[in-house]
Amino acid sequence: MKLLFGHDEAVARFVADLTIGPADFGKCKAIGVLDDEDRLLAGMVFHDWQPGPGLIQISSASTTARWLTAEVRHIMFSYPFDQLGCQMVVLQVSAKNARTVRIAKAFGFTPYLIKRMRGRDEDGYVFTLTDDDWRNSKFTRKIHGQTLSS
C-alpha cells in the first residue's frame, strides 16, 4: 500500500461518497491509501480546523479493512498532532458503525454518545483524542521513547 498526498479533493470526494453522501468537507486536507495498482482504497480527511483551540475533525472511509496499517496509523495522527500542532482530534461516527466505534476506542479516543446525532432514528458518537492521550497510547510509546510506567 502507498500513501497519496496532494489530491485533497479526490480523496475527500471518495470519503464523502462512502460516508456523508453528496455534501462535502469544505476546505480540508486529505490523505489517500492506494493499493499496488494505484487504486484508492481508503482516505482520511482533516476538516473543520480551528487553530485557536487547536481542534480538527477527521473523517475516514475505506473499501477494505486492510488499509489501517501501522504506517498509515502513524501518518494519520502525525499530521494533526505533529505537523499542525493540534491538541485534539474529533471524530464523529454513527452508533451503528460498530467496527469504527471499536477501532476509535482501541486508539484511545474518548466516546460521547449523542442521541439522534445522525437523525431521528440514529444515535452517534463524538470521539475525542488529545495529543497527550495519543502520545501515551500503546501505539506510540516506542516512537516517543516511553515505557508503560511513564
Side-chain angles (χ1 to χ4, degrees):
M1 290 196 207
K2 301 178 273 188
L3 295 175
L4 175 67
F5 298 94
H7 295 272
D8 300 330
E9 191 173 312
V11 174
R13 174 58 34 220
F14 172 86
V15 172
D17 287 347
L18 292 175
T19 57
I20 61 175
D24 65 48
F25 293 103
K27 185 177 177 182
C28 63
K29 289 291 183 185
I31 302 169
V33 179
L34 304 173
D35 68 9
D36 292 335
E37 297 175 13
D38 291 336
R39 291 180 298 218
L40 190 58
L41 299 178
M44 300 156 277
V45 181
F46 301 90
H47 55 98
D48 299 320
W49 168 227
Q50 298 176 43
L55 301 175
I56 198 163
Q57 287 199 56
I58 185 172
S59 296
S60 64
S62 68
T63 57
T64 176
R66 295 181 168 258
W67 72 280
L68 201 48
T69 64
E71 177 190 9
V72 170
R73 190 174 53 241
H74 174 72
I75 295 296
M76 175 188 291
F77 293 105
S78 179
Y79 174 70
F81 293 135
D82 299 332
Q83 292 183 40
L84 293 180
C86 290
Q87 63 89 20
M88 183 181 288
V89 171
V90 177
L91 169 68
Q92 295 183 40
V93 178
S94 167
K96 294 178 181 178
N97 189 338
R99 183 173 174 272
T100 301
V101 168
R102 180 183 51 77
I103 290 169
K105 289 177 180 178
F107 283 1
F109 279 84
T110 301
Y112 300 93
L113 181 65
I114 311 295
K115 299 285 185 186
R116 296 184 177 187
M117 186 179 95
R118 316 260 312 172
R120 178 170 293 281
D121 300 319
E122 189 173 352
D123 298 341
Y125 283 98
V126 173
F127 284 98
T128 61
L129 180 67
T130 67
D131 56 347
D132 295 330
D133 288 341
W134 175 249
R135 287 190 176 94
N136 289 311
S137 77
K138 64 184 176 184
F139 297 107
T140 59
R141 281 190 193 101
K142 289 179 185 176
I143 293 169
H144 294 285
Q146 300 166 338
T147 63
L148 290 172
S149 60
S150 293

